Amino acid sequence: MQLDHLHIEHFRNLSRVELTPGPRFNVLTGPNGQGKTNLLEAIYTLGSVKSLRAQRNAELIQWEQERALIEGEISREAHRRQARIEIGATGKRVVLNGTLVRSIQDYFGTLSAVVFSPDDLGMLKGGPSERRRFLDRAVFNTRAGYLADVQAYESVLRQRNAVLKSPSPSAGLLEVYDEQLADYGASITQRRLEYLRDFFPIFRRAFRGIFTLEGEVEASESAQIAETLALGYGASWWSPSPVSVSGELEVPSLEALRTGLGGALRRGAREDMRRGTTCSGPHRDDLHLAFLEREVRSFASQGQLRAIVLAMKIAEIQVLTERLRFTPVLLLDDVSSELDRDRNRLLFELLKRHPGQVFITTTHRDFIQLEGEDVRSWSVRQGALEPR
Ligand SMILES: Nc1ncnc2c1ncn2[C@@H]1O[C@H](COP(=O)(O)OP(=O)(O)OP(=O)(O)O)[C@@H](O)[C@H]1O
Ligand SMILES: [Mg+2]
């Protein structure tokens, strides 16, 4: 899969961009605050419709402008597609090959992109929401109906929370929302667990590979450490929690998940009213990661954390490539500043082996170790691109 052309108007600080990327490496260099991440965010938004960073559409539109536009020509083998996303303050319009897209499912797979960014470290160090974001993005790329379910779930959740905050919450209304939440929530959870089941063995292999390559430990030792790798899906509303993830995980049925979540919502209604918010459901779930029988968050070194995040990302790409049978576009934001020299080298070795299209941003061109590769370069200044 490849982005052949990109046209942007008034997306954040990018007033107007016309970009014809190459099939392999596309490097965007520029000082801080010039629009490098904005450009990757535009590409990501073109693929996912959901933004990387913004919560609200209005944030994506250039100040003093009414709307933003992202347009791309995308090819996958012989297929060519023209995708267009118009962003207004109150919503987005998505057009594919000249036709308005009414159901987000019909847009699925138009442009699959995987992002690497300095924020990824937050996935292990930060709060549950960052781990959920990783998971949701990964699942979104592999499953057509996922985004629609997440959006529907979030919308019902907002309504339920509004009822909970009202002076005298209606029990009948809550019941209606509970049922809808249980429906969408079961489907979201099932897809997450299915994803993790497929992801885990690949993640473990990547983890072992990186620890060995890094020379941190001997190969035999890293294989042993990898054997102790444990991933859990924590859901307060499910028992047992965390669900222990492996390649053999038996994912619960939709019916069982629906019953489990519905029951938890009913039992938690009084507490939810007191707090004015819904305390159980996939919007509160978390991932737990451990090796050598300890939670990664609390004991891994900074270097180990980076290696783990890298392994997670590599696994994400591999799962996606296997599932979709084509390589996604990689978006690497500002990776150099986060990685020391050895890991940087390792990253570029991995990238050279990755067959697809890659976009890389950096503040310093010297960080980019791609000698002998097919590279196109631009500089980014004040929201404008210049070939270099
Ligand atoms: N809606 C918007 N309208 C106009 N400008 C915006 C908007 N949102 C963000 N910006 C501007 O975009 C710039 C940041 O761009 P971006 O995050 O892409 O920088 P960067 O080149 O990635 O920098 P760094 O190297 O520091 O990561 C800031 O100057 C910010 O003020
Ligand atoms: Mg940036």
Side-chain angles (χ1 to χ4, degrees):
M1 170 167 286
Q2 187 178 315
L3 181 62
D4 297 319
H5 189 80
L6 181 68
H7 170 86
I8 299 173
E9 287 174 32
H10 307 307
F11 183 87
R12 294 204 187 260
N13 77 335
L14 307 169
S15 307
R16 196 182 177 87
V17 167
E18 213 63 68
L19 181 72
T20 306
R24 284 294 280 147
F25 296 102
N26 298 281
V27 178
L28 302 141
T29 309
N32 298 127
Q34 302 300 311
K36 302 183 298 296
T37 303
N38 293 348
L39 189 92
L40 297 191
E41 188 178 28
I43 298 174
Y44 185 84
T45 308
L46 187 64
S48 70
V49 186
K50 250 189 143 148
S51 145
L52 261 184
R53 303 184 281 187
Q55 297 295 329
R56 296 181 309 117
N57 287 319
E59 289 171 46
L60 301 174
I61 304 169
Q62 190 166 33
W63 301 321
E64 329 255 326
Q65 295 290 331
E66 304 267 304
R67 44 153 229 160
L69 175 68
I70 314 167
E71 228 169 15
E73 275 168 39
I74 300 143
S75 59
R76 204 174 94 206
E77 287 158 5
H79 296 281
R80 294 189 144 264
R81 282 171 153 179
Q82 194 115 29
R84 173 186 171 98
I85 297 197
E86 294 166 23
I87 306 168
T90 54
K92 294 192 184 88
R93 254 180 113 237
V94 181
V95 179
L96 187 58
N97 295 332
T99 307
L100 185 68
V101 174
R102 297 194 185 277
S103 157
I104 201 80
Q105 287 195 39
D106 298 338
Y107 193 71
F108 175 78
T110 301
L111 177 67
S112 303
V114 175
V115 191
F116 283 77
S117 96
D119 298 342
D120 291 337
L121 267 189
M123 191 152 83
L124 297 178
K125 277 292 204 189
S129 66
E130 302 191 47
R131 287 179 285 285
R132 283 194 300 270
R133 197 172 52 193
F134 163 77
L135 186 55
D136 283 341
R137 278 190 193 157
V139 181
F140 160 74
N141 265 330
T142 60
R143 300 296 289 263
Y146 191 67
L147 182 61
D149 276 351
V150 169
Q151 285 176 339
Y153 180 87
E154 285 172 354
S155 151
V156 179
L157 187 64
R158 275 193 297 276
Q159 297 175 62
R160 186 181 192 264
N161 286 343
V163 173
L164 290 170
K165 285 193 183 78
S166 68
S168 53
S170 144
L173 210 48
L174 275 184
E175 225 168 89
V176 173
Y177 290 143
D178 287 1
E179 202 163 304
Q180 294 179 357
L181 273 188
D183 265 349
Y184 292 122
S187 165
I188 290 169
T189 309
Q190 192 184 52
R191 288 186 173 135
R192 284 181 179 173
L193 289 173
E194 285 168 352
Y195 180 84
L196 290 171
R197 176 197 60 202
D198 298 345
F199 168 85
F200 185 72
I202 298 175
F203 169 46
R204 172 180 273 169
R205 210 182 321 132
F207 176 89
R208 186 165 55 215
I210 283 181
F211 269 64
T212 313
L213 260 172
E214 292 243 311
E216 295 227 351
V217 288
E218 295 291 318
S220 60
E221 198 182 330
S222 76
Q224 275 171 14
I225 294 177
E227 280 310 304
T228 70
L229 193 64
L231 182 64
Y233 182 83
S236 66
W237 52 274
W238 185 253
S239 173
S241 178
V243 178
S244 169
V245 174
S246 77
E248 284 81 52
L249 172 66
E250 286 200 24
V251 175
S253 70
L254 275 182
E255 194 47 49
L257 291 165
R258 199 182 293 132
T259 309
L261 182 52
L265 288 167
R266 249 188 333 274
R267 286 191 302 278
R270 195 170 290 273
E271 178 66 11
D272 286 355
M273 277 183 226
R274 204 179 57 76
R275 298 206 195 181
T277 190
T278 305
C279 297
S280 45
H283 65 290
R284 286 295 180 92
D285 293 351
D286 197 0
L287 284 179
H288 302 278
L289 188 61
F291 65 93
L292 297 172
E293 310 208 340
R294 287 190 221 102
E295 186 95 16
V296 162
R297 203 170 348 154
S298 49
F299 92 99
S301 72
Q302 197 73 354
Q304 286 173 330
L305 288 173
R306 290 189 176 122
I308 294 166
V309 169
L310 197 53
M312 290 176 85
K313 284 286 164 181
I314 290 165
E316 180 188 353
I317 293 164
Q318 287 182 355
V319 171
L320 190 55
T321 307
E322 277 173 28
R323 181 73 65 94
L324 304 181
R325 297 181 207 291
F326 59 79
T327 44
V329 172
L330 298 194
L331 307 174
L332 268 89
D333 194 21
D334 205 14
V335 181
S336 320
S337 63
E338 272 297 314
L339 295 169
D340 59 35
R341 198 188 286 276
D342 284 348
R343 287 198 181 80
N344 212 8
R345 199 178 24 138
L346 173 71
L347 177 69
F348 281 104
E349 275 167 27
L350 289 165
L351 284 177
K352 286 178 188 172
R353 273 188 263 140
H354 171 85
Q357 190 179 36
V358 185
F359 291 82
I360 305 174
T361 76
T362 183
T363 47
H364 294 93
R365 188 61 177 77
D366 331 338
F367 287 143
I368 308 299
Q369 302 168 20
L370 289 172
E371 293 68 31
E373 297 290 323
D374 174 4
V375 181
R376 287 194 201 175
S377 298
W378 290 263
S379 59
V380 186
R381 294 282 156 134
Q382 295 182 8
L385 265 63
E386 282 281 332
R388 52 180 275 164

